[in-house]
Amino acid sequence: MKTWILAGTLGVCALLANAQSLPDSQTVVIPGGRLQTIELPAQRHFMTAERFAPFRGGYELANGQVLYLRNASSIGAIMYARIDGQEEHRIVATDNNSFVALDRQLAMRIDLRDDGSVGGEVLMLVPAEKLASGDIVPAHVQSMGLASR
């Protein structure tokens, strides 16, 4: 009896191990990744003003607001971002096309495509809000896609 239980257990383990190791033709790679949180990187990605230049300008967000990016230095990119008329946030590069605000209020990934179109997303920290009913909506991170440039 013990032999049958052991054989059955080993058979199930073998099936599970086989299911975990699919051939490359059956695996899925998700390009670009999604922003999940607004975190400062352990190590910043240095970006010159010249490399930042294609990112400068306004980007319409899916919710109708506009993300504006600018820089204030011609040597090393001292970069800033703001949404509509809100306060400006100093940002640093975390990758070739990703940025995060030093105050952890914004994070963005901007995909500049060869055909001139733009993709990506923005994470924005929305502060806690007290509703007229007295209920409190806690602070949360809102994700918005880029609509166009």
Side-chain angles (χ1 to χ4, degrees):
M1 179 73 171
K2 290 180 183 177
T3 306
W4 286 105
I5 293 173
L6 181 61
T9 303
L10 290 175
V12 169
C13 289
L15 287 173
L16 290 174
N18 187 36
Q20 290 179 359
S21 57
L22 294 173
D24 288 340
S25 64
Q26 294 181 7
T27 59
V28 178
V29 177
I30 301 172
R34 290 189 49 90
L35 295 173
Q36 302 295 324
T37 60
I38 302 174
E39 295 293 329
L40 290 173
Q43 187 173 5
R44 296 179 189 171
H45 180 82
F46 179 75
M47 183 172 284
T48 64
E50 191 174 80
R51 294 253 312 125
F52 181 68
F55 295 101
R56 289 190 314 233
Y59 300 87
E60 185 177 339
L61 302 176
N63 68 356
Q65 293 180 303
V66 178
L67 168 71
Y68 297 97
L69 299 180
R70 72 174 187 90
N71 67 311
S73 174
S74 59
I75 299 170
I78 298 175
M79 305 168 290
Y80 295 92
R82 70 178 166 85
I83 295 179
D84 284 342
Q86 298 175 13
E87 72 179 78
E88 208 167 48
H89 304 272
R90 178 141 183 228
I91 59 174
V92 294
T94 59
D95 201 347
N96 289 329
N97 66 338
S98 299
F99 308 90
V100 66
L102 291 175
D103 62 5
R104 296 176 43 191
Q105 301 292 306
L106 289 173
M108 63 218 71
R109 188 190 81 248
I110 301 173
D111 302 321
L112 301 175
R113 300 182 183 126
D114 292 337
D115 65 0
S117 65
V118 177
E121 65 182 317
V122 173
L123 293 183
M124 178 175 70
L125 182 65
V126 178
E129 179 182 11
K130 186 173 183 178
L131 303 176
S133 66
D135 293 340
I136 295 177
V137 178
H140 61 281
V141 174
Q142 179 180 356
S143 177
M144 299 169 280
L146 295 180
S148 64
R149 181 174 183 185

